[in-house]
Amino acid sequence: MENDFTRRYIKLGARADIFDLPEIIRVNTLKTTPKTLFDRLKEKGFEFEKVPFLENGYKVIRARHALSALQEYLHGYFYMQEAASQLPAQILNPCKDDIVLDACAAPGSKTTQLAVKSKYVVALESQHNRMPSLVNNVERLGIKNVIACNTDARIFEPSIKFDKILVDAPCSGNYISDTQWFRRQSVNNFKQRAEIQKEILSNIVSHLSDNGELVYSTCSLEPEENEMIIDWAITDLRMKIVDIDCIGDKGLTSPFGEKLHKDVEKSRRLWPYKTKTQGFFIAKMVLK
Amino acid sequence: MALQDKNTGLFHSQDGAKMNFDVFISKFAKIKLEYTKIGNKYFLADEEMKELSKKLNCNIAAIGLILGEDKKDKFTPSIALLEILSKVSDEKVFVNYIGEIDFLYGKDLKKRHILRFTGGSKEGFFKLIQNEHDENIGYGKISAELTGSKAEIACLLDRGDFIRREKS
């Protein structure tokens, strides 16, 4: 299969193999332990295997029926969360004293992941119709330290600073998570998304504490929404990119002939055919 | 008028009594939960969290653990509140695996599902429904006395609601 997008990927030195993503869960250690959960689920015909690069992520290797039909799901013992999607919160790595901002929160996968390790998480969601999913997941997982706000990250003006911030920005997505992706997308859409991503970042970085850390991530493979945003953050927002311990390739420093800042390579891009995850991009930054 | 159980001191019937937050709690345990209210919803949040929320200058939809909401002036509990109550209440009915599955689909419980119960057994009493692992799966109202041969509990809220909410 070849199209405008796959030709772009070839220019970036990659390819666009299509495959089914493995089913991955994140164990909610607030409510249970992996051993307790898997002992119970083994009796019901389910088996799991640890994902080596995730703290609490496990791959389903045998399933008798849908995971969401399990009582253990209803009890909030686990969250169905794709492997790459578990990385941003893991890379942000908050500690028990941290007040964390999740700038684009619904449906709450990363919010609930961050909440396990943080003091408090402030979760912003701009779309009113996406709030119930966020609130439901917080309740199901028994999370007690989240404040959910129906607010657009671009206009959020708190009178406090945050120790850690996650900007898992709204993006164009990727062809592995969405089978209709190639048909739906356009390069123009990437550019429109990039403008929103810049608006979010430019406001949100002003709420980061002096010693704070910010993780920017998307589930897009498009340089316009990833490396080019990081390059802009380095030059226009005066952010410093830091090294991260994460699977994936180094960020691209010359996508489509554009010359980007050398530190952009400290970010990580997850090509699905290499990582066997959905497409993803992650960068960590601090104030200069 | 609310009916007080002589042994437990808990109030069981809601006849004539407005079902507000405190009345609901009193049906299960003699505890006081300090709540924060946003709109018609009740939340459990610590003081520091409440102070933090004042500094956010935005539209807060939820803070801490949701305890329930007023629907048409009547308090409706959250699953999270039932879980809290199940840790301190004696008003429990334990059900077998089949009963658990049926209840999670919103079905009423029958005599054959009930393993044992603690607390009151009379018609009209509210009971927390627990599975074999003593995990709360919802709550119901006794519609036929638990000691009788046709014991029955009407499902009022079950944990399967999480799935139904995802689909709505």
Side-chain angles (χ1 to χ4, degrees), chain A residues 16 24 40 43 48 68 82 96 109 135 152 164 170 221 256-257 273 275 280:
Chain A
I24 309 287
R40 259 173 84 153
E43 288 175 17
F48 299 83
S68 60
E82 198 275 327
K96 274 293 169 200
S109 51
V135 174
D152 192 322
K164 301 272 166 68
L221 287 164
F256 310 127
Y273 75 97
T275 56
F280 227 83

PDB file of all heavy atoms in Angstrom, chain A residues 16 24 40 43 48 68 82 96 109 135 152 164 170 221 256-257 273 275 280:
ATOM      1  N   ALA A  16       5.359   1.904   6.896  1.00  0.00           N
ATOM      2  CA  ALA A  16       4.053   1.923   7.564  1.00  0.00           C
ATOM      3  C   ALA A  16       3.388   0.552   7.520  1.00  0.00           C
ATOM      4  O   ALA A  16       2.354   0.372   6.893  1.00  0.00           O
ATOM      5  CB  ALA A  16       3.163   2.972   6.909  1.00  0.00           C
ATOM      6  N   ILE A  24      -3.217  -4.498  25.945  1.00  0.00           N
ATOM      7  CA  ILE A  24      -2.367  -4.205  27.108  1.00  0.00           C
ATOM      8  C   ILE A  24      -3.229  -3.636  28.230  1.00  0.00           C
ATOM      9  O   ILE A  24      -4.143  -2.841  27.977  1.00  0.00           O
ATOM     10  CB  ILE A  24      -1.280  -3.160  26.754  1.00  0.00           C
ATOM     11  CG1 ILE A  24      -0.496  -3.550  25.497  1.00  0.00           C
ATOM     12  CG2 ILE A  24      -0.342  -2.925  27.943  1.00  0.00           C
ATOM     13  CD1 ILE A  24       0.478  -4.685  25.641  1.00  0.00           C
ATOM     14  N   ARG A  40      -6.240 -14.283  40.326  1.00  0.00           N
ATOM     15  CA  ARG A  40      -7.699 -14.324  40.159  1.00  0.00           C
ATOM     16  C   ARG A  40      -8.085 -14.544  38.710  1.00  0.00           C
ATOM     17  O   ARG A  40      -8.989 -15.339  38.400  1.00  0.00           O
ATOM     18  CB  ARG A  40      -8.311 -13.004  40.638  1.00  0.00           C
ATOM     19  CG  ARG A  40      -8.925 -13.087  42.020  1.00  0.00           C
ATOM     20  CD  ARG A  40      -9.348 -11.737  42.507  1.00  0.00           C
ATOM     21  NE  ARG A  40     -10.673 -11.367  42.027  1.00  0.00           N
ATOM     22  CZ  ARG A  40     -11.475 -10.527  42.679  1.00  0.00           C
ATOM     23  NH1 ARG A  40     -11.084 -10.010  43.839  1.00  0.00           N
ATOM     24  NH2 ARG A  40     -12.655 -10.205  42.204  1.00  0.00           N
ATOM     25  N   GLU A  43      -7.698 -18.076  37.039  1.00  0.00           N
ATOM     26  CA  GLU A  43      -8.827 -18.998  37.284  1.00  0.00           C
ATOM     27  C   GLU A  43      -9.952 -18.767  36.282  1.00  0.00           C
ATOM     28  O   GLU A  43     -10.781 -19.641  36.061  1.00  0.00           O
ATOM     29  CB  GLU A  43      -9.370 -18.798  38.699  1.00  0.00           C
ATOM     30  CG  GLU A  43      -8.457 -19.333  39.786  1.00  0.00           C
ATOM     31  CD  GLU A  43      -8.976 -19.008  41.176  1.00  0.00           C
ATOM     32  OE1 GLU A  43     -10.159 -18.659  41.314  1.00  0.00           O
ATOM     33  OE2 GLU A  43      -8.167 -19.079  42.128  1.00  0.00           O
ATOM     34  N   PHE A  48      -1.347 -13.222  31.375  1.00  0.00           N
ATOM     35  CA  PHE A  48      -0.693 -11.955  31.038  1.00  0.00           C
ATOM     36  C   PHE A  48       0.825 -12.114  31.065  1.00  0.00           C
ATOM     37  O   PHE A  48       1.348 -13.015  31.728  1.00  0.00           O
ATOM     38  CB  PHE A  48      -1.102 -10.870  32.053  1.00  0.00           C
ATOM     39  CG  PHE A  48      -2.576 -10.602  32.067  1.00  0.00           C
ATOM     40  CD1 PHE A  48      -3.439 -11.405  32.812  1.00  0.00           C
ATOM     41  CD2 PHE A  48      -3.114  -9.566  31.330  1.00  0.00           C
ATOM     42  CE1 PHE A  48      -4.802 -11.180  32.815  1.00  0.00           C
ATOM     43  CE2 PHE A  48      -4.474  -9.325  31.328  1.00  0.00           C
ATOM     44  CZ  PHE A  48      -5.324 -10.140  32.077  1.00  0.00           C
ATOM     45  N   SER A  68     -13.324  -6.013  29.381  1.00  0.00           N
ATOM     46  CA  SER A  68     -14.250  -5.079  30.037  1.00  0.00           C
ATOM     47  C   SER A  68     -15.453  -5.791  30.641  1.00  0.00           C
ATOM     48  O   SER A  68     -16.229  -5.189  31.378  1.00  0.00           O
ATOM     49  CB  SER A  68     -14.720  -4.011  29.053  1.00  0.00           C
ATOM     50  OG  SER A  68     -15.390  -4.624  27.981  1.00  0.00           O
ATOM     51  N   GLU A  82      -3.152   1.136  26.068  1.00  0.00           N
ATOM     52  CA  GLU A  82      -2.143   0.701  25.103  1.00  0.00           C
ATOM     53  C   GLU A  82      -0.739   1.032  25.631  1.00  0.00           C
ATOM     54  O   GLU A  82      -0.551   1.989  26.388  1.00  0.00           O
ATOM     55  CB  GLU A  82      -2.429   1.395  23.762  1.00  0.00           C
ATOM     56  CG  GLU A  82      -1.764   0.768  22.567  1.00  0.00           C
ATOM     57  CD  GLU A  82      -0.357   1.253  22.346  1.00  0.00           C
ATOM     58  OE1 GLU A  82      -0.088   2.428  22.656  1.00  0.00           O
ATOM     59  OE2 GLU A  82       0.483   0.459  21.887  1.00  0.00           O
ATOM     60  N   LYS A  96       5.452  11.782  45.420  1.00  0.00           N
ATOM     61  CA  LYS A  96       4.316  11.922  46.337  1.00  0.00           C
ATOM     62  C   LYS A  96       4.041  13.358  46.790  1.00  0.00           C
ATOM     63  O   LYS A  96       2.960  13.647  47.313  1.00  0.00           O
ATOM     64  CB  LYS A  96       4.496  11.014  47.558  1.00  0.00           C
ATOM     65  CG  LYS A  96       3.991   9.612  47.329  1.00  0.00           C
ATOM     66  CD  LYS A  96       2.463   9.591  47.164  1.00  0.00           C
ATOM     67  CE  LYS A  96       1.938   8.253  46.682  1.00  0.00           C
ATOM     68  NZ  LYS A  96       0.580   8.359  46.078  1.00  0.00           N
ATOM     69  N   SER A 109      -6.893   8.126  31.123  1.00  0.00           N
ATOM     70  CA  SER A 109      -5.921   7.034  31.273  1.00  0.00           C
ATOM     71  C   SER A 109      -4.646   7.530  31.944  1.00  0.00           C
ATOM     72  O   SER A 109      -4.154   6.922  32.903  1.00  0.00           O
ATOM     73  CB  SER A 109      -5.602   6.413  29.915  1.00  0.00           C
ATOM     74  OG  SER A 109      -5.239   7.410  28.977  1.00  0.00           O
ATOM     75  N   VAL A 135     -14.417  11.536  34.599  1.00  0.00           N
ATOM     76  CA  VAL A 135     -14.924  11.398  35.975  1.00  0.00           C
ATOM     77  C   VAL A 135     -15.243   9.932  36.293  1.00  0.00           C
ATOM     78  O   VAL A 135     -14.949   9.440  37.392  1.00  0.00           O
ATOM     79  CB  VAL A 135     -16.152  12.323  36.179  1.00  0.00           C
ATOM     80  CG1 VAL A 135     -16.785  12.101  37.541  1.00  0.00           C
ATOM     81  CG2 VAL A 135     -15.740  13.789  36.010  1.00  0.00           C
ATOM     82  N   ASP A 152     -10.333  24.802  28.918  1.00  0.00           N
ATOM     83  CA  ASP A 152      -9.417  24.710  27.789  1.00  0.00           C
ATOM     84  C   ASP A 152      -8.003  25.084  28.260  1.00  0.00           C
ATOM     85  O   ASP A 152      -7.806  26.158  28.845  1.00  0.00           O
ATOM     86  CB  ASP A 152      -9.888  25.675  26.690  1.00  0.00           C
ATOM     87  CG  ASP A 152      -9.170  25.435  25.369  1.00  0.00           C
ATOM     88  OD1 ASP A 152      -7.956  25.136  25.395  1.00  0.00           O
ATOM     89  OD2 ASP A 152      -9.819  25.567  24.322  1.00  0.00           O
ATOM     90  N   LYS A 164       4.919  19.270  38.036  1.00  0.00           N
ATOM     91  CA  LYS A 164       5.035  18.430  36.839  1.00  0.00           C
ATOM     92  C   LYS A 164       3.818  18.708  35.949  1.00  0.00           C
ATOM     93  O   LYS A 164       2.700  18.873  36.473  1.00  0.00           O
ATOM     94  CB  LYS A 164       5.051  16.933  37.200  1.00  0.00           C
ATOM     95  CG  LYS A 164       6.177  16.499  38.140  1.00  0.00           C
ATOM     96  CD  LYS A 164       7.420  16.121  37.383  1.00  0.00           C
ATOM     97  CE  LYS A 164       8.652  16.013  38.259  1.00  0.00           C
ATOM     98  NZ  LYS A 164       8.649  14.923  39.203  1.00  0.00           N
ATOM     99  N   PRO A 170      -3.917  17.108  21.906  1.00  0.00           N
ATOM    100  CA  PRO A 170      -4.823  16.601  20.875  1.00  0.00           C
ATOM    101  C   PRO A 170      -4.083  16.583  19.539  1.00  0.00           C
ATOM    102  O   PRO A 170      -3.383  17.547  19.210  1.00  0.00           O
ATOM    103  CB  PRO A 170      -5.967  17.616  20.859  1.00  0.00           C
ATOM    104  CG  PRO A 170      -5.486  18.810  21.596  1.00  0.00           C
ATOM    105  CD  PRO A 170      -4.380  18.359  22.498  1.00  0.00           C
ATOM    106  N   LEU A 221       2.493  10.517  14.268  1.00  0.00           N
ATOM    107  CA  LEU A 221       3.839  10.263  13.735  1.00  0.00           C
ATOM    108  C   LEU A 221       4.308  11.415  12.849  1.00  0.00           C
ATOM    109  O   LEU A 221       5.352  11.320  12.211  1.00  0.00           O
ATOM    110  CB  LEU A 221       3.825   8.962  12.923  1.00  0.00           C
ATOM    111  CG  LEU A 221       3.726   7.682  13.758  1.00  0.00           C
ATOM    112  CD1 LEU A 221       3.316   6.502  12.895  1.00  0.00           C
ATOM    113  CD2 LEU A 221       5.038   7.404  14.465  1.00  0.00           C
ATOM    114  N   PHE A 256      12.010  16.175   6.354  1.00  0.00           N
ATOM    115  CA  PHE A 256      11.661  16.812   5.069  1.00  0.00           C
ATOM    116  C   PHE A 256      12.598  17.987   4.750  1.00  0.00           C
ATOM    117  O   PHE A 256      12.158  19.023   4.233  1.00  0.00           O
ATOM    118  CB  PHE A 256      10.197  17.292   5.071  1.00  0.00           C
ATOM    119  CG  PHE A 256       9.213  16.237   5.507  1.00  0.00           C
ATOM    120  CD1 PHE A 256       8.305  16.486   6.532  1.00  0.00           C
ATOM    121  CD2 PHE A 256       9.215  14.979   4.910  1.00  0.00           C
ATOM    122  CE1 PHE A 256       7.416  15.507   6.939  1.00  0.00           C
ATOM    123  CE2 PHE A 256       8.311  14.001   5.309  1.00  0.00           C
ATOM    124  CZ  PHE A 256       7.422  14.270   6.336  1.00  0.00           C
ATOM    125  N   GLY A 257      13.867  17.864   5.125  1.00  0.00           N
ATOM    126  CA  GLY A 257      14.843  18.895   4.790  1.00  0.00           C
ATOM    127  C   GLY A 257      14.870  20.088   5.737  1.00  0.00           C
ATOM    128  O   GLY A 257      15.720  20.969   5.611  1.00  0.00           O
ATOM    129  N   TYR A 273       6.136  -0.188  13.515  1.00  0.00           N
ATOM    130  CA  TYR A 273       6.756  -1.427  13.007  1.00  0.00           C
ATOM    131  C   TYR A 273       7.996  -1.808  13.809  1.00  0.00           C
ATOM    132  O   TYR A 273       8.424  -2.951  13.801  1.00  0.00           O
ATOM    133  CB  TYR A 273       7.072  -1.292  11.509  1.00  0.00           C
ATOM    134  CG  TYR A 273       8.266  -0.430  11.156  1.00  0.00           C
ATOM    135  CD1 TYR A 273       9.524  -0.987  10.899  1.00  0.00           C
ATOM    136  CD2 TYR A 273       8.147   0.957  11.086  1.00  0.00           C
ATOM    137  CE1 TYR A 273      10.611  -0.199  10.571  1.00  0.00           C
ATOM    138  CE2 TYR A 273       9.229   1.755  10.758  1.00  0.00           C
ATOM    139  CZ  TYR A 273      10.461   1.175  10.506  1.00  0.00           C
ATOM    140  OH  TYR A 273      11.541   1.967  10.190  1.00  0.00           O
ATOM    141  N   THR A 275       8.442  -0.728  17.388  1.00  0.00           N
ATOM    142  CA  THR A 275       8.148  -0.897  18.822  1.00  0.00           C
ATOM    143  C   THR A 275       6.957  -1.815  19.092  1.00  0.00           C
ATOM    144  O   THR A 275       6.711  -2.194  20.228  1.00  0.00           O
ATOM    145  CB  THR A 275       7.858   0.474  19.471  1.00  0.00           C
ATOM    146  OG1 THR A 275       6.790   1.103  18.743  1.00  0.00           O
ATOM    147  CG2 THR A 275       9.077   1.369  19.446  1.00  0.00           C
ATOM    148  N   PHE A 280       3.789   6.993  18.361  1.00  0.00           N
ATOM    149  CA  PHE A 280       3.802   7.896  19.504  1.00  0.00           C
ATOM    150  C   PHE A 280       5.034   8.783  19.464  1.00  0.00           C
ATOM    151  O   PHE A 280       6.034   8.442  18.814  1.00  0.00           O
ATOM    152  CB  PHE A 280       3.790   7.100  20.818  1.00  0.00           C
ATOM    153  CG  PHE A 280       2.794   7.605  21.821  1.00  0.00           C
ATOM    154  CD1 PHE A 280       1.474   7.214  21.756  1.00  0.00           C
ATOM    155  CD2 PHE A 280       3.170   8.502  22.819  1.00  0.00           C
ATOM    156  CE1 PHE A 280       0.543   7.689  22.666  1.00  0.00           C
ATOM    157  CE2 PHE A 280       2.251   8.972  23.733  1.00  0.00           C
ATOM    158  CZ  PHE A 280       0.930   8.561  23.657  1.00  0.00           C
TER     159      PHE A 280
END
